[in-house]
Amino acid sequence: MRLTQGKPYPLGATLDSDGVNFALFSAYASAVYLCLFDETEAEIARFRLERQTQQIWHGHVSELKAGCRYGYRVDGPYQPLIGHRFNVNKLLLDPYARQLSGPIIDHKSHYGYQFGHELEDLSFCELDNAAEMPKCVVVDLEGLAPIAPLMNPGEQRESPLSLRRGVIYELHVKGFSQQNPEVPEENRGRFAGLGDPASIGYLNHLGITAVELLPVQQFVSEAFLQQKGLTNYWGYNSIGFFAPHHGYLSSTAAAGGQHGLAGINEFRDMVSALHRAGIEVILDVVYNHSAEGNRLGPTYSFKGIDNLSYYRLHPSEPRYYINDTGCGNTLNLSHPRVLQLVMDSLRYWVEVMGVDGFRFDLATTLGREEHGFDVGSGFFDAIGQDPVLSQVRLIAEPWDIGPGGYQLGQFPIGWSEWNDRYRDTVRRFWRGDAGMLPEFATRFHGSSDLFEHAGRKPAASINFITSHDGFTLMDLVSYRHKHNQANGEQNRDGHNENYSHNYGHEGQSDEVELKSLRARQCRNMLTTLFMSQGVPMLLAGDEVGHSQHGNNNAYCQDNPSSWLDWRKDIASDELLSFTMNLIKLRRRFPMLCHRDYIHESANFASPGLDWFCRQGEPMTKAHWGEAQTRTLSLVISGELEAQAGCRQALLLMFNADDRPQQFTLPSLEGIVQWQCLLSTQDSSQDGKATNRQGLLQGASLVLQDRSLMIYYAQFTSAPQATGESR
């Protein structure tokens, strides 16, 4: 092996015909050492990178092949009081590493300071951590075939043409397949398990068009969790922005394989299999902070390479990290090299790994400049001008815990956002809270008050009732209070206000009437989700009544309480059948996912949306102001796609009251008869209407307490309705 000067670009380890080029950014280092290891992880060579170009240290080592293992040691001042934490005793991960040789396990040698020292992080640790640190693996990306694109429309099933017509399914890679007996045991809980025909067949059967995967980039379990025998199950603690998480690789892939590509190919094979089935892959990514924590956290990579550049530090006290994320540190995306790292990572997952988009964790942090959140920040501008990234799915979690951190509705055109106001409103409406009609109608309408002012469309609103963070749907109707004792934090963690209800008994129950009510409330909220304007997101397991036993913060529960339970007969599950029917109905009626906001009453020129009180009269300001009213109807109409000049309408009647209520069907010109499509009152089959006679307009019927019904009609003349819209 021979070291030559190499090139400063591209960053990371790049294989060529003569060896490997290494390039690492550090603005304040005094020396950078490249350490090479064999397959037993014994160090076989160490080179000092002598060349530096625009703060990038670089060198080329001849004779190296794919599969070679490496890491860096970076020397410089250890002066936490002014922001520097260099420690040459620490082997560091390359921020651009495509694969790691193993998991990261907490060890005292990973810390730059001495444990127990009275000076804390102002002390200096001379322990060498090379034996405890996994190594970066050089991979050969040349010659990788492009990922199979999504299937063409008309093949087997409709390909998702746009996000507005899609159904997102949020799932955990391990939790989804870990207990599925139809998946080969060695693949359960892995990328290969999600790509297995049994998994994909289930997703197709359900009607999913996109999976949103909880973090799959290399992450670490925090030390305090490892000390309690727990793990960071969700994965929001990233350290390798290019590397697929080692724990989700099969044993063969984890070993690296030929050219170091086994892990990369296992992920790519999963994406290809999902694409062949017409399912997009959206990654939940964490670029707001890293796994290195606060000033007392470990030194894995950025902290030892260039702490002052990679992190936002308090201007007056650079020893301390700005913590807009609540996770100990905040990455400094205002620095051009850190922004470059994130952009290169995103582009890699699209162009090499084949994914279709991203959900950005704590996305407000990514848009922070010196003065606070800015919709014109460098990050948003970089995404918007990028010819690759501007074309993929971009979904923001629109908040963090920093000043002015709640930014729902403020992200750029082209972005969608998790809409927690939709979540809370739907929960409160069906719980029976007073005064919810105006807010409920606004959220059902696609939250135009939040998005339309900036020229954004209903697809900007990602509607959800539950997500990984909080109660599952079944727990939402079974618990009034969180039960997080298993997390080892004395039940102090997790949200305190969940807008949940137990309907008289805390927790699971075998009481028939109680189970029936809870199941009905699940159907009510699912129906609301799939009938609303905007994009529905379903939490994996909600369609089969998955429970976490009241834990609303199961981030560290890597066990059957979090894993989807395939041991019961999911194929015959009534709630599953009901959910499948809802997804089919959404696909059947395009006006449920209209491109633009609907503000007009029904007419032939455009889709219409009209609100009615339960007496069948158009809503007035007085009706909207009735705080104790928990009933509402609406008619949404649009043209039949297959028959010009003929229109179709859906009538939805909501009864969130705890008593049965009589509804009168509205009288609309051109509609003679309404046919029942779905009722959440039914506790069997899938809610489909069977042997129900049609109802003439103006007819009356009684809706059971806490229930919802959907009726359908066709007409050839424009119905007329007047009233106060939302």
Side-chain angles (χ1 to χ4, degrees), residues 58-80:
H58 53 91
H60 184 279
V61 180
S62 63
E63 305 301 324
L64 290 183
K65 306 295 183 182
C68 169
R69 303 183 180 196
Y70 71 99
Y72 289 106
R73 296 180 185 272
V74 181
D75 205 357
Y78 187 84
Q79 297 175 311

Side-chain angles (χ1 to χ4, degrees), residues 91-124:
L91 185 72
L92 304 173
L93 299 174
D94 181 359
Y96 279 76
R98 266 54 174 183
Q99 187 164 327
L100 302 185
S101 64
I104 301 174
I105 306 299
D106 181 55
H107 191 271
K108 64 181 181 180
S109 64
H110 290 319
Y111 294 76
Y113 64 94
Q114 297 180 42
F115 266 103
H117 197 285
E118 61 181 6
L119 295 178
E120 296 182 321
D121 60 311
L122 297 181
S123 64
F124 186 77

Side-chain angles (χ1 to χ4, degrees), residues 190-377:
R190 319 280 183 166
F191 294 126
L194 180 54
D196 188 86
S199 297
I200 292 177
Y202 176 79
L203 296 172
N204 273 158
H205 188 58
L206 182 56
I208 298 303
T209 66
V211 291
E212 183 175 303
L213 309 182
L214 268 67
V216 299
Q217 296 173 346
Q218 183 65 50
F219 60 85
V220 185
S221 290
E222 295 89 336
F224 76 92
L225 288 177
Q226 295 187 44
Q227 291 163 9
K228 291 190 291 187
L230 300 172
T231 62
N232 189 319
Y233 173 66
W234 287 351
Y236 292 93
N237 201 40
S238 301
I239 194 62
F241 294 147
F242 291 79
H245 183 58
H246 195 271
Y248 296 159
L249 302 176
S250 67
S251 57
T252 301
Q258 188 178 14
H259 308 303
L261 284 175
I264 292 171
N265 279 333
E266 192 165 280
F267 182 92
R268 284 164 44 88
D269 289 345
M270 174 198 73
V271 174
S272 294
L274 288 162
H275 280 183
R276 286 193 297 270
I279 299 173
E280 296 184 354
V281 179
I282 300 170
L283 300 188
D284 196 334
V285 289
V286 187
Y287 296 113
N288 55 79
H289 74 281
S290 85
E292 293 184 307
N294 62 16
R295 65 186 180 87
L296 300 179
T299 297
Y300 295 136
S301 181
F302 310 119
K303 189 178 285 187
I305 293 172
D306 189 346
N307 186 68
L308 193 57
S309 295
Y310 277 104
Y311 292 112
R312 292 187 183 274
L313 307 178
H314 282 282
S316 60
E317 294 184 281
R319 178 187 180 187
Y320 299 95
Y321 295 81
I322 291 175
N323 187 20
D324 292 329
T325 66
C327 301
N329 62 57
T330 302
L331 284 176
N332 182 19
L333 266 69
S334 296
H335 193 291
R337 290 301 183 193
V338 183
L339 178 60
Q340 178 187 2
L341 169 70
V342 173
M343 295 294 291
D344 288 348
S345 169
L346 291 169
R347 204 177 296 108
Y348 173 78
W349 287 95
V350 173
E351 295 185 313
V352 176
M353 306 299 264
V355 307
D356 304 285
F358 305 94
R359 179 266 191 189
F360 294 87
D361 180 63
L362 301 182
T364 297
T365 298
L366 307 180
R368 286 190 179 275
E369 298 288 355
E370 292 288 333
H371 55 278
F373 177 81
D374 188 345
V375 72
S377 72

Side-chain angles (χ1 to χ4, degrees), residues 510-528:
D510 293 327
E511 201 274 311
V512 175
E513 290 188 7
L514 178 58
K515 291 179 66 176
S516 176
L517 172 57
R518 289 175 173 177
R520 190 161 69 251
Q521 286 287 61
C522 288
R523 294 193 293 271
N524 288 332
M525 286 187 274
L526 286 172
T527 303
T528 303

